[in-house]
């Protein structure tokens, strides 16, 4: 079953009245596809990533089914997606409804994609790790995959083709994975980390943005120009308060975390629903569940 359905919301306005309708677009994904994600480039092109079955041999375990991370684009004014291209094919692709692949477009026009792989193709246990690759030809070819972060990665574009990255990193499994059964109640289990990816594939300084955060909620990251960015995520305290927090990147360093809102959400477990942020010019908007 094909799990992707692409629709465009159209708005028509006239004097004294308006109308909305949905237009279904041809779907670029194959049957068995899942975990789609959308992003836009500065020129308004919409870029879609998703995973689907892949045919043919791959490196890794030969008996495991191969899965492919795919990408297609939809330029402004178009109604047909580009021919899908493959970012990576592997039997180790980690596919999860809460933690999934994504892509951002750099200020130099290059695409940076991130995804996750398991150490064992047949199991979701034992943790997983993040990977990243870069394309300078709109997905036709990709750089050699490199390790990146661990879980719940978010990307944002900085000047000079650089990419700002944040992710959650476990304090108990050497960087990734969860150990809820042996965790001390209220003790930190995850931290929020960050780095900058350079166009040549090297990584800059790595920061610990917050040493104690919720252990399995999505992060969100947006750039506002002049190399500034805001990140939001679900925090954690020794009293098991898991309210959302907000931090600012000034182009050189991160600010101290501040509460996004004092919800007082106390739960000795992970709600698995982090915030979502968007920005336009100097305006920032953040939405979250409480």
């Amino acid at each position: 079953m094909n799990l992707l359905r692409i629709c465009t919301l159209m708005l028509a306005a006239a004097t004294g009245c308006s109308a909305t309708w949905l237009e279904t677009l041809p779907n670029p994904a194959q049957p068995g596809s899942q975990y789609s994600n959308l992003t836009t480039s500065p020129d308004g092109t919409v870029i879609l990533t998703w995973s689907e079955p892949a045919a043919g041999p791959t490196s890794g375990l030969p008996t495991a089914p191969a899965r492919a991370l795919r990408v297609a684009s939809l330029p402004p004014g178009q109604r047909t997606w580009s021919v899908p291209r493959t970012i990576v094919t592997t039997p180790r692709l980690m596919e999860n409804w809460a933690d999934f692949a994504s892509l951002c477009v750099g200020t130099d026009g290059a695409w940076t994609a991130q995804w996750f792989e398991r150490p064992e193709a047949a199991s979701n246990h034992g943790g997983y790790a993040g990977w990243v690759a870069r394309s300078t030809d709109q997905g036709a070819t990709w750089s050699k995959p490199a390790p990146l972060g661990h879980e719940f990665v978010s990307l944002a574009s900085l000047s000079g083709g650089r990419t700002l990255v944040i992710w959650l990193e476990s304090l108990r499994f050497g960087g990734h994975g969860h150990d809820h059964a042996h965790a001390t109640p209220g003790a930190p289990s995850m931290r929020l980390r960050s780095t900058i990816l350079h166009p040549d594939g090297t990584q800059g300084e790595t920061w610990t943005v917050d040493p104690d955060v919720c252990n399995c909620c999505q992060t969100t990251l947006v750039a506002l120009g002049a190399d500034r960015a805001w990140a939001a995520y679900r925090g954690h305290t020794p009293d098991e308060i898991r309210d959302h927090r907000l931090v600012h990147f000034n182009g050189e360093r991160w600010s101290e975390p501040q509460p996004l809102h004092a919800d007082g959400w106390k739960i000795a477990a992970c709600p698995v629903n982090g915030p979502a942020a968007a920005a336009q010019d100097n305006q920032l908007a953040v939405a979250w569940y409480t």
Side-chain angles (χ1 to χ4, degrees), residues 146-170:
L148 173 72
H150 297 100
E151 303 179 32
F152 299 99
V153 174
S154 292
L155 310 171
S157 298
L158 300 179
S159 63
R162 298 173 300 154
T163 302
L164 182 64
V165 187
I166 62 171
W167 69 88
L168 299 189
E169 184 173 274
S170 174

Side-chain angles (χ1 to χ4, degrees), residues 37-242:
N37 191 57
L38 289 170
T39 190
T40 55
S41 65
D43 69 357
T45 296
V46 179
I47 303 171
L48 171 68
T49 56
W50 72 95
S51 59
E52 65 183 31
T58 63
S59 60
L61 300 181
T63 58
R67 299 285 294 182
L69 179 62
R70 305 274 272 166
V71 62
S73 60
L74 185 70
Q78 299 296 314
R79 292 293 179 266
T80 302
W81 291 90
S82 66
V83 175
R85 289 169 165 171
T86 299
I87 300 173
V88 65
T89 300
T90 173
R92 302 181 187 275
L93 191 66
M94 199 290 296
E95 300 171 272
N96 183 283
W97 65 270
D99 200 3
F100 40 81
S102 64
L103 181 148
C104 80
V105 179
T107 55
D108 59 353
W111 293 3
T112 298
Q114 66 84 22
W115 67 94
F116 306 96
E117 294 185 21
R118 301 184 300 267
E120 297 180 5
S123 173
N124 275 319
H125 302 291
Y128 56 91
W131 292 83
V132 63
R134 193 170 189 266
S135 174
T136 58
D137 51 15
Q138 297 186 332
T141 60
W142 291 87
S143 64
K144 181 180 178 180
L148 173 72
H150 297 100
E151 303 179 32
F152 299 99
V153 174
S154 292
L155 310 171
S157 298
L158 300 179
S159 63
R162 298 173 300 154
T163 302
L164 182 64
V165 187
I166 62 171
W167 69 88
L168 299 189
E169 184 173 274
S170 174
L171 298 173
R172 298 198 176 106
F173 267 124
H176 55 81
H178 307 290
D179 186 17
H180 305 302
H182 299 92
T184 302
S189 63
M190 282 278 185
R191 60 184 176 179
L192 182 68
R193 301 274 277 169
S194 177
T195 193
I196 291 177
L197 300 178
H198 297 282
D200 63 1
T202 60
Q203 294 188 20
E205 179 183 355
T206 297
W207 299 275
T208 296
V209 181
D210 193 324
D212 187 7
V213 301
C214 193
N215 50 308
C216 55
C217 284
Q218 293 97 345
T219 61
T220 185
L221 178 66
V222 291
L224 276 77
D227 285 343
R228 296 174 300 124
W230 286 93
Y233 56 95
R234 190 180 291 279
H236 175 260
T237 72
D239 295 328
E240 298 289 13
I241 302 298
R242 299 178 185 247

